[in-house]
Amino acid sequence: MKISVIGCGYVGLVTGSCLAEIGHEVVCTDNDAAKMQMLESGKVPIFEPGLDAVIEKTRRDGRLSFNPDPGRAIEGSDASFICVGTPPLPSGDADLSAIDSVAKLIGTNQRGPRLIVEKSTVPARTGQQLKRALSRYGRKTNGHFRVASNPEFLREGTAVEDFLHPDRIVVGVDDDTSEKQMREVYQPILDQKFNCPVHAAGCPPVTPPEFLVTTINSAELIKHASNSFLALKISYANMVADLAERLGADVDEVMHAVGKDPRIGPSFFRAGLGFGGFCLPKDLQAFVRLAERTGVDFSLLKEVERINKQRIDHFVEKLRRALWVLRDKQIGVLGLAFKANTDDIRFAPAVELVQRLQAEGAHVRLYDPEALERAKSTLKNVQFCENAYDTAQDADVLVIATEWDEFRTLEWERLRDLMAHPLILDGRNLLQPAQMRALGFEYHSMGRPDPGSRGTDGRSTN
Ligand code: UDX
């Protein structure tokens, strides 16, 4: 099919290049001229493992192209995927103005697509609003538009893999033609028949994804309900971590055993600085606001938000207990991205932590394998370092804020000798307490007993 993709961010670039990879003819467009220039010159504006390879290959095969003129980009396409941002408004509601401007672009285009696919994460009932907007904007072109909701379940860091080997494909439609067309779009993925750019030597045997067809409202609700449940799991683990710390129990061992129950499942039970990124916090907030506006009590999810926000407070108190005074202390921070394997720092807990430490008068040194460039345009008065050892130089404490693999296997003796004090506060429970103590570090983490050291009241001094 001929497909246009509107919005070349994390979702749009993965969607466009992977749809081209499975055989469609795709044109991507974005209203950010600088981003379009970068893409047309062959550069990829985001760090997403494997994405540049897919873009490069599908462009070379002539199936993927970029056009900065949105009108031209959508002309002649059978379907248009809306992949624009829906950032939170101050109220917490999703800002849908970009969706409305896309509706205007499509509605007023004589030769535009007739199937409009909502890929961006939007609150339920947005699809109905979108249909109304399209028919209003399309009055002069008496365009008859059809809308489908097709929420994305892409995790940053594994987005290409998640697109090509999804657990499920959710499609919300209210007419048969759209269902048929959406099935046609995803058929190669349903059959798992395409030359996969992720597994060049052949994909591991995966069960073909389910193609779940429902109404537009339900499909939109599935996305918010999914992400909010993932957030709930994380806050549940963090709540248990707070209790474990008081009791001298180990939250990782507790949640590992809890996750063995197949009804519960092991993932998203890692305690730490909490969840960040441009999905979980924003989707959770939008879901709560949608419920409030609809008159439904979502206090359960408000608690999930509160527990998550509290992580930074708890961690700063942990630092204060370890350092006594934070003012004028040298604090080395390892990791800024909201999670490993991405350069995305939006809503990253580490960004808030750095700002809190600076507000307390501490001097921050910072290193992240991928996110430093973005950090430089967000954080001021920070000493940006090129590696962990630079960050540890004369530091009173080293903080681990993002679960990058490379922070698991540093040269600890070298690091220890570079620091003013051999003190590590691990915000992601990345390291093993006993091992760090054996290396001569004072080590504290989240919800786990300190190695050997206990406070006078029997509380671990975590
Ligand atoms: C999420 C959903 O996983 C994905 O399905 C949806 O499409 C988009 O939002 P993403 O935001 O990329 O994906 O990141 P995710 O892997 O979900 O992690 C979100 C945050 O939770 C990160 O800050 C991560 O550090 C944190 N996290 C994750 C925990 O604190 N503990 C965990 O056990 C797992």
Side-chain angles (χ1 to χ4, degrees):
M1 286 168 78
K2 292 189 74 172
I3 293 173
S4 47
V5 171
I6 305 171
C8 294
Y10 283 93
V11 175
L13 283 176
V14 172
T15 299
S17 58
C18 288
L19 286 176
E21 179 59 272
I22 65 172
H24 298 295
E25 195 182 318
V26 180
V27 183
C28 295
T29 188
D30 193 299
N31 62 8
D32 178 333
K35 188 182 284 190
M36 289 311 288
Q37 253 156 26
M38 268 185 89
L39 287 163
E40 286 180 288
S41 67
K43 289 199 201 70
V44 180
I46 55 172
F47 171 78
E48 180 60 49
L51 178 62
D52 38 4
V54 185
I55 290 178
E56 203 266 323
K57 176 169 174 293
T58 49
R59 287 188 79 175
R60 201 178 52 242
D61 297 348
R63 287 206 303 275
L64 175 70
S65 63
F66 295 100
N67 188 328
D69 175 338
R72 302 291 303 276
I74 66 170
E75 261 173 22
S77 58
D78 303 304
S80 225
F81 279 68
I82 302 182
C83 300
V84 294
T86 52
L89 290 166
S91 64
D93 294 294
D95 176 356
L96 301 176
S97 52
I99 305 264
D100 179 52
S101 56
V102 169
K104 184 169 186 179
L105 164 78
I106 293 172
T108 53
N109 190 309
Q110 287 279 10
R111 301 183 46 238
R114 292 297 165 244
L115 172 61
I116 288 77
V117 185
E118 227 183 32
K119 194 84 175 148
S120 307
T121 301
V122 292
R125 301 196 62 66
T126 301
Q128 306 306 340
Q129 306 278 11
L130 178 56
K131 274 197 328 195
R132 264 194 290 281
L134 284 163
S135 56
R136 254 199 322 273
Y137 287 126
R139 203 178 42 251
K140 296 214 174 51
T141 57
N142 53 45
H144 171 66
F145 298 99
R146 288 175 283 104
V147 168
S149 165
N150 175 221
E152 52 88 7
F153 299 101
L154 308 176
R155 291 163 299 170
E156 290 184 40
T158 55
V160 173
E161 165 86 12
D162 291 342
F163 192 98
L164 295 170
H165 302 293
D167 310 322
R168 76 285 207 208
I169 294 172
V170 170
V171 165
V173 289
D174 49 20
D175 71 276
D176 293 343
T177 312
S178 305
E179 177 183 341
K180 202 165 71 56
Q181 280 187 300
M182 290 305 286
R183 202 176 280 278
E184 192 184 335
V185 168
Y186 283 106
Q187 200 56 54
I189 291 182
L190 294 175
D191 302 338
Q192 283 292 297
K193 272 207 184 61
F194 50 83
N195 41 356
C196 177
V198 180
H199 308 106
C203 303
V206 284
T207 41
E210 271 197 77
F211 191 72
L212 300 171
V213 182
T214 181
T215 62
I216 295 175
N217 286 345
S218 296
E220 291 164 332
L221 210 49
I222 287 167
K223 171 70 182 181
H224 271 168
S226 245
N227 265 7
S228 299
F229 189 77
L230 292 170
L232 181 143
K233 283 191 87 174
I234 295 167
S235 281
Y236 184 80
N238 280 320
M239 180 185 72
V240 171
D242 291 350
L243 181 63
E245 271 185 23
R246 303 282 174 108
L247 300 176
D250 182 316
V251 67
D252 287 356
E253 291 174 3
V254 169
M255 299 318 292
H256 174 72
V258 167
K260 285 290 179 198
D261 181 331
R263 294 169 300 176
I264 297 174
S267 60
F268 279 65
F269 270 155
R270 284 198 328 270
L273 285 173
F275 55 85
F278 204 59
C279 291
L280 293 193
K282 144 177 105 60
D283 295 353
L284 183 59
Q285 212 178 34
F287 202 23
V288 170
R289 286 290 302 134
L290 171 68
E292 279 172 349
R293 283 203 319 276
T294 319
V296 176
D297 174 13
F298 260 38
S299 43
L300 171 67
L301 292 185
K302 284 163 105 164
E303 272 304 290
V304 169
E305 279 183 308
R306 188 188 60 75
I307 291 167
N308 195 56
K309 285 197 175 73
Q310 234 178 16
R311 296 303 97 203
I312 304 299
D313 302 333
H314 287 201
F315 197 77
V316 170
E317 281 322 302
K318 203 186 279 284
L319 267 168
R320 209 187 304 282
R321 279 206 296 276
L323 284 177
W324 181 35
V325 170
L326 296 181
R327 175 164 295 285
D328 287 336
K329 290 295 191 312
Q330 292 292 338
I331 300 184
V333 175
L334 295 183
L336 192 75
F338 81 93
K339 69 177 202 179
N341 301 318
T342 181
D343 65 347
D344 196 349
I345 62 173
R346 295 174 296 179
F347 294 77
V351 169
E352 192 191 331
L353 174 62
V354 167
Q355 288 164 338
R356 287 281 297 275
L357 295 176
Q358 288 181 311
E360 299 255 355
H363 304 294
V364 175
R365 304 169 66 86
L366 170 67
Y367 164 66
D368 183 287
E370 293 295 340
L372 276 195
E373 278 322 300
R374 291 181 192 273
K376 288 172 183 165
S377 57
T378 306
L379 295 171
K380 302 282 169 271
N381 307 323
V382 168
Q383 175 72 36
F384 294 104
C385 301
E386 289 309 310
N387 56 57
Y389 306 100
D390 232 5
T391 315
Q393 181 71 46
D394 302 328
D396 294 304
V397 62
L398 200 58
V399 165
I400 297 183
T402 306
E403 62 278 20
W404 283 102
D405 262 351
E406 75 174 69
F407 299 155
R408 292 176 201 276
T409 53
L410 298 170
E411 294 165 52
W412 299 111
E413 291 84 354
R414 180 177 161 207
L415 211 69
R416 184 192 57 214
D417 300 344
L418 283 166
M419 293 177 71
H421 308 293
L423 171 62
I424 290 183
L425 263 74
D426 184 352
R428 292 292 182 187
N429 288 3
L430 208 60
L431 308 173
Q432 292 314 317
Q435 181 207 354
M436 298 320 287
R437 180 177 169 76
L439 285 159
F441 286 97
E442 183 187 341
Y443 173 83
H444 305 284
S445 59
M446 307 289 277
R448 302 190 298 178
D450 290 343
S453 55
R454 284 199 165 285
T456 47
D457 63 358
R459 271 183 58 181
S460 77
T461 52
N462 240 341

